[in-house]
Amino acid sequence: MKNKYPAVPTYSLVLFLFFSNSYALTNFSGSVKSRFERGEEVNPYLFADYPNNLSERNFFELYISSELNTTDIPFGGRLRLGLRLFEFQPSSVERRMQGLEYQRRLDKIYSQLNIGKWEIWLGDVYETYGRGLALNLMENQDLYFDSGVRGGKINYNGGGWRVKTIAGESREGYLVNREQLAAVNLENRSVKGMKLGLSNVYQRGVSLEERFTPGAYFQIQRWGFTLFGEYAQTRDNKFDELLGDGTYLNLNWGLMGAAVNLEYKYYKFGFDAFNGDSLVENPFRTPPVVQREITTHLMSEHPHLPLTTDQVGFNAEISYSPWYWLFLTSSYSRASSHEGGNLFPSLKEEYKPFWEWFTEGELYPSDKTIVKFAFGMNEEARPFYWRKKTGTLADITYYLSPFHSLTIGGENMLVKDEIYDAEFQEWKISMTLAKASVVSVNFLYQWTTEELDDEDKEWPGGEIAFTLNSSNRLTMFFGRERGGLKCTSGVCRPVQPFEGLRITLQSAF
Amino acid sequence: MMKYISLLLILISAGLVFAEDNQEPVIDFSLEDLNGEIRALSEFLGKGPVLLDFWATWCVPCKTEMPYLQAIYEKYSDKGFTLLAISEDTPRSQSRVKPFIMSKRFTFPVLLDPNGDVLKRYQGNTLPFQALLDSKGRIIEVHQGYTPGDEKILESKIAELLETEKADEE
């Protein structure tokens, strides 16, 4: 990735910030997010056992964002201008594994104008249609995933109708190719409690043929029920070949104190893009995962991967709060690749089956105490992998005074490896002492009985977080961290085991 | 291109010097609520302070804090205070928002921000993130993260802001 966007000349920024801050009709805001890491990480290219496979890790990232909002424009309405500067220094392992390079650039720039029922955007834009089967452009800074496009969008919202149009080009990055994209979405909300949407997305990649993704969705809300359904299909440029399709259904019901949520997915979009040498999913489509992504910490460290390429599955979740001091949730998920035209997930090994049952509770026995507990089981089989896991978690927070608290947590996971006929356990304990809005000190210790060659079997660590004032937070971590797959919102990135110091600063002003 | 951006910034800066005051909130936004209705921030302004609480169903500290926010909402809502809980769940986990709110018996309004656009407007980089606004929509304070006891400090700030706004009215 090249340093393509030079910085805006300093003098104009200074003038801009000075005058924008000086007037009540205008609001100027900004934020800084910075992370610095110094230590060692596992280098898979050294082909040696731990600790001879460690190499130096020097990592730095910095985001500086600023935004101006004003109602002082000659023709009325609202104007919003924003930009973001980005500096990024990846470690040597990340440079080699993920092709990341040093960058310092004007990362984002955008303007939004709202006049009456119209909204006009220019610059870096994001958008979501329905639940994202046809289009969901998003950014996840933790994973360096950014499917936003540089271009523009025009939206109209009035009289029960909403029209959204977008056009632009994506930037090449993690899991994302440079592609041209244009899309339109028409949504009607004329009938109370109902909405109906139609959309079409056009894509043209550098080396890929043109594709269209038409889609439709609906939502009906009555008597505490919400029913949502969406269908989208990808076709080639002549509309004569179906490249893939997907369906998502969601029914939920809730009354005060109880709720049921049922989800179903039938995704068969297939791989339709190359990123480097790998085939990847379409990054502009991130539909619901239809599973719990967060269960216990240990079970969530090795998550089941939701795929839009070839997966069918469902999730059922019940939540109940009989009294204000007790809250219970239980969920069951199942997924597999498609077994012919079967509408339900298969349990046969060749279809990569996965199931998970998870229950958690919160208990408030007194004003000073919060107790959390969880129990989960899952099983997943895929080529060269078949494991059953059972996890338990307990966590107690006690208020030592109105502003001081102590939290102690413990967690266990039993893992059975069916391929190697092996069994091992993982443990994690933690303790946090905190003074509200001032400081929190956390110690944690994680270990496993699994035989590992490429990393240590113990991960001790300590973290101290200072709230410098309400808008500035400084966090320092020192210790050893386990590697694995880091997943958020269905997007995953491999993270190497790390040991050393991490300093994070987050400010908003 | 940078020349044009610089010129644009200078022109806007110059325009701001000659601007006239009005009562419209500088930042406004429209989001869908849990009933599928589109709600604007400006609908909630004018009665008293508004707390924007940005959260997500996958954010454990956010969910830990929410019962305390419900208690604050119950205590001060009849005095003009409004709590707007803004969910940052993307379409991946959006279906969990309404069941969570209903089963927890929360009664404050909940809005959906699936792209994180409104969070970005208030310069939030992490969850939970809160912005306390006065009745005109001006940002009085922002707060990042949650440690037990933060809710008590927040409550005192809300009470103080209610007092100040009441005194200003009188």
Side-chain angles (χ1 to χ4, degrees):
Chain A
M1 283 170 267
K2 289 175 186 169
N3 186 358
K4 195 182 167 189
Y5 305 99
V8 178
T10 317
Y11 64 88
S12 59
L13 262 180
V14 171
L15 264 177
F16 176 65
L17 301 184
F18 176 76
F19 287 120
S20 60
N21 250 345
S22 67
Y23 207 76
L25 260 180
T26 299
N27 175 269
F28 173 74
S29 57
S31 70
V32 175
K33 183 180 162 190
S34 174
R35 183 157 61 105
F36 164 88
E37 287 178 3
R38 179 65 61 91
E40 291 179 310
E41 67 186 329
V42 167
N43 185 343
Y45 300 103
L46 292 178
F47 303 105
D49 288 349
Y50 182 86
N52 297 320
N53 60 354
L54 292 176
S55 64
E56 196 179 29
R57 176 172 174 83
N58 283 319
F59 173 93
F60 175 72
E61 72 172 2
L62 173 69
Y63 293 91
I64 302 176
S65 308
S66 63
E67 203 169 272
L68 176 116
N69 287 272
T70 180
T71 50
D72 175 41
I73 45 178
F75 32 84
R78 274 189 181 76
L79 179 67
R80 175 187 178 193
L81 298 167
L83 53 88
R84 188 174 78 188
L85 299 167
F86 176 55
E87 184 167 0
F88 180 65
Q89 181 192 296
S91 72
S92 55
V93 174
E94 285 169 328
R95 284 169 198 260
R96 190 162 171 191
M97 273 182 81
Q98 295 168 33
L100 300 172
E101 287 178 18
Y102 174 79
Q103 298 173 61
R104 185 164 63 185
R105 57 188 162 90
L106 180 60
D107 182 40
K108 299 280 173 201
I109 182 157
Y110 52 90
S111 63
Q112 178 191 1
L113 179 66
N114 286 76
I115 303 177
K117 294 169 180 174
W118 293 89
E119 181 181 289
I120 300 159
W121 284 77
L122 281 174
D124 292 293
V125 286
Y126 297 87
E127 192 57 270
T128 304
Y129 295 165
R131 295 274 170 93
L133 265 75
L135 185 79
N136 182 25
L137 306 181
M138 57 178 256
E139 182 187 23
N140 186 317
Q141 290 177 7
D142 292 338
L143 305 177
Y144 309 115
F145 176 82
D146 187 355
S147 59
V149 295
R150 184 161 283 187
K153 63 179 183 177
I154 299 175
N155 297 343
Y156 172 83
N157 188 8
W161 290 92
R162 181 185 258 201
V163 183
K164 300 194 223 178
T165 59
I166 186 168
E169 189 176 84
S170 62
R171 175 184 291 157
E172 196 168 337
Y174 180 59
L175 300 178
V176 180
N177 290 309
R178 186 177 289 269
E179 288 197 53
Q180 287 168 350
L181 194 138
V184 60
N185 171 236
L186 177 67
E187 190 177 277
N188 183 272
R189 294 165 181 263
S190 303
V191 180
K192 193 175 167 56
M194 284 181 74
K195 71 176 175 188
L196 182 67
L198 295 168
S199 57
N200 198 4
V201 180
Y202 165 79
Q203 274 174 262
R204 188 174 67 186
V206 175
S207 58
L208 292 164
E209 63 178 320
E210 295 170 299
R211 285 155 290 158
F212 287 91
T213 304
Y217 59 88
F218 70 92
Q219 180 170 291
I220 302 168
Q221 290 185 297
R222 288 278 187 281
W223 310 297
F225 286 93
T226 302
L227 175 66
F228 179 92
E230 184 166 356
Y231 174 77
Q233 57 174 228
T234 300
R235 292 193 160 268
D236 68 359
N237 62 342
K238 290 173 189 155
F239 261 86
D240 56 4
E241 190 188 346
L242 180 66
L243 301 172
D245 66 347
T247 304
Y248 169 75
L249 291 168
N250 174 217
L251 175 68
N252 66 47
W253 169 84
L255 270 182
M256 300 309 277
V260 178
N261 190 34
L262 306 171
E263 288 180 283
Y264 173 77
K265 64 178 172 185
Y266 188 94
Y267 301 151
K268 212 171 182 179
F269 287 106
F271 291 104
D272 65 356
F274 277 96
N275 187 270
D277 298 327
S278 318
L279 268 171
V280 294
E281 298 177 66
N282 188 332
F284 309 108
R285 171 195 300 135
T286 43
V289 290
V290 192
Q291 71 187 58
R292 273 189 80 104
E293 282 194 296
I294 308 289
T295 53
T296 71
H297 301 126
L298 292 174
M299 289 172 76
S300 304
E301 275 183 357
H302 307 279
H304 163 70
L305 287 182
L307 297 170
T308 60
T309 51
D310 177 13
Q311 210 165 65
V312 58
F314 64 85
N315 175 252
E317 188 164 299
I318 299 171
S319 305
Y320 182 48
S321 176
W323 304 281
Y324 74 92
W325 48 268
L326 180 65
F327 178 69
L328 297 164
T329 303
S330 191
S331 72
Y332 180 77
S333 311
R334 244 173 80 177
S336 78
S337 57
H338 291 269
E339 183 186 2
N342 199 338
L343 295 174
F344 289 94
S346 171
L347 285 173
K348 292 177 189 162
E349 199 184 329
E350 61 266 37
Y351 295 105
K352 294 171 266 183
F354 166 79
W355 67 262
E356 182 171 74
W357 172 58
F358 181 72
T359 295
E360 67 177 345
E362 284 170 35
L363 186 67
Y364 298 83
S366 73
D367 289 348
K368 288 184 168 180
T369 316
I370 306 168
V371 179
K372 292 184 182 181
F373 52 90
F375 177 78
M377 294 171 80
N378 71 27
E379 182 176 357
E380 181 164 17
R382 51 179 193 260
F384 313 109
Y385 182 98
W386 183 5
R387 282 185 172 182
K388 291 177 181 171
K389 295 174 191 165
T390 306
T392 47
L393 173 151
D395 193 289
I396 299 171
T397 299
Y398 184 74
Y399 280 79
L400 304 165
S401 79
F403 302 107
H404 295 81
S405 65
L406 172 68
T407 303
I408 295 173
E411 202 176 320
N412 169 263
M413 181 170 73
L414 174 69
V415 182
K416 279 186 177 178
D417 195 311
E418 297 288 339
I419 290 180
Y420 298 101
D421 195 23
E423 192 173 296
F424 63 90
Q425 294 203 48
E426 296 199 4
W427 296 86
K428 188 174 190 174
I429 52 172
S430 66
M431 186 176 82
T432 307
L433 263 168
K435 183 178 181 186
S437 289
V438 178
V439 67
S440 76
V441 184
N442 171 247
F443 301 98
L444 57 96
Y445 189 67
Q446 183 179 338
W447 72 98
T448 181
T449 58
E450 185 183 10
E451 289 302 321
L452 296 173
D453 297 328
D454 58 346
E455 62 176 314
D456 204 348
K457 291 159 68 169
E458 294 174 32
W459 298 274
E463 188 173 80
I464 183 161
F466 296 99
T467 305
L468 305 174
N469 55 43
S470 63
S471 53
N472 292 288
R473 195 174 167 88
L474 178 74
T475 309
M476 289 187 288
F477 168 85
F478 186 77
R480 194 178 293 149
E481 255 184 1
R482 191 163 194 191
L485 211 53
K486 191 173 179 181
C487 296
T488 313
S489 296
V491 180
C492 299
R493 189 174 71 90
V495 176
Q496 290 305 105
F498 164 72
E499 44 196 84
L501 173 72
R502 174 187 300 127
I503 300 174
T504 310
L505 174 69
Q506 288 172 315
S507 300
F509 51 87
Chain B
M1 185 193 173
M2 287 303 115
K3 271 195 297 186
Y4 296 114
I5 294 168
S6 306
L7 191 63
L8 181 70
L9 292 177
I10 292 165
L11 286 175
I12 293 165
S13 309
L16 295 172
V17 179
F18 303 105
E20 288 178 16
D21 200 1
N22 69 21
Q23 294 301 307
E24 275 193 75
V26 175
I27 299 180
D28 198 8
F29 56 82
S30 296
L31 293 173
E32 187 175 326
D33 70 8
L34 295 183
N35 298 316
E37 306 290 326
I38 304 290
R39 308 292 299 270
L41 170 67
S42 47
E43 290 175 39
F44 299 94
L45 297 173
K47 292 173 276 184
V50 175
L51 178 72
L52 305 179
D53 176 50
F54 296 91
W55 68 286
T57 56
W58 44 261
C59 167
V60 176
C62 304
K63 293 197 288 184
T64 305
E65 187 178 21
M66 287 176 96
Y68 300 111
L69 297 180
Q70 170 69 22
I72 293 172
Y73 176 67
E74 284 172 11
K75 192 170 171 183
Y76 296 100
S77 59
D78 60 348
K79 292 173 182 151
F81 168 68
T82 304
L83 167 63
L84 279 181
I86 301 178
S87 163
E88 295 301 311
D89 285 270
T90 66
R92 291 248 167 188
S93 54
Q94 202 174 300
S95 68
R96 294 202 161 81
V97 176
K98 191 174 181 185
F100 172 76
I101 294 294
M102 299 302 283
S103 59
K104 282 274 197 174
R105 302 167 192 261
F106 295 145
T107 52
F108 44 74
V110 178
L111 305 178
L112 306 170
D113 182 27
N115 281 323
D117 183 52
V118 176
L119 177 65
K120 200 186 330 173
R121 277 194 154 191
Y122 289 93
Q123 303 298 331
N125 273 321
T126 186
L127 293 181
F129 182 85
Q130 292 163 338
L132 181 61
L133 314 180
D134 69 7
S135 55
K136 289 178 180 168
R138 290 179 295 214
I139 302 167
I140 301 301
E141 189 164 303
V142 295
H143 184 78
Q144 307 178 70
Y146 172 73
T147 45
D150 279 356
E151 69 278 1
K152 294 180 179 71
I153 294 166
L154 176 69
E155 183 180 347
S156 66
K157 285 174 182 165
I158 291 166
E160 193 182 320
L161 187 57
L162 276 164
E163 293 262 317
T164 311
E165 295 214 326
K166 197 177 167 189
D168 287 348
E169 274 177 26
E170 288 167 1

